[in-house]
Amino acid sequence: REAYNFTLQQMYKIEEKLVEYITKYSTGIWANNTEALDLVDNFDLYLGDVREEIREMEDDPPPTAAPNANYTRELVEWYNSKGKGNRYSKGTVQNMGIWDLIKHFYDDH
């Protein structure tokens, strides 16, 4: 958990994929394949670790981060620094017919 900082949702997804792979490689054409059985053994071990980590995360969830008052400004600055710059300036977007859907992303100034 500390090494990769996975979120709880990401851990659930990892668990889901491991169960999927265990099912896939332990049935059908893979049932008697030694390499597939080795994979299943390793997936089972890892699944146990993942489930233990999930239990720990559920028992002691990380604190909710405080809101960042500068988030919107930083997001606009980042966006303007990419690619073609600010091709979605307030004036441009107001004339696109979608203003009511996205005006909350723009400052009132």
Side-chain angles (χ1 to χ4, degrees):
R1 178 169 158 180
E2 289 80 25
Y4 296 102
N5 292 319
F6 288 124
T7 65
L8 189 54
Q9 293 305 316
Q10 289 170 324
M11 293 298 288
Y12 289 143
K13 194 62 158 174
I14 291 170
E15 178 187 33
E16 179 184 311
K17 283 297 182 183
L18 286 169
V19 170
E20 176 186 330
Y21 295 150
I22 289 168
T23 302
K24 176 180 179 174
Y25 291 110
S26 61
T27 59
I29 63 170
W30 301 103
N32 295 317
N33 183 301
T34 56
E35 287 85 7
L37 295 175
D38 287 342
L39 274 175
V40 169
D41 288 342
N42 286 300
F43 289 151
D44 274 329
L45 290 172
Y46 187 44
L47 181 59
D49 293 342
V50 167
R51 285 182 170 159
E52 181 179 336
E53 188 65 34
I54 287 172
R55 277 191 298 278
E56 289 174 13
M57 292 173 79
E58 289 172 337
D59 290 344
D60 185 25
T64 303
N68 178 355
N70 295 319
Y71 175 75
T72 302
R73 182 186 52 77
E74 291 169 359
L75 188 62
V76 169
E77 288 173 2
W78 172 83
Y79 183 80
N80 287 337
S81 72
K82 301 295 173 203
K84 297 180 181 177
N86 189 3
R87 62 184 175 170
Y88 297 112
S89 66
K90 183 176 181 179
T92 302
V93 174
Q94 284 175 321
N95 295 319
M96 290 181 162
I98 59 171
W99 180 247
D100 288 336
L101 299 173
I102 61 169
K103 63 184 172 186
H104 62 280
F105 290 117
Y106 291 83
D107 288 334
D108 292 332
H109 315 299

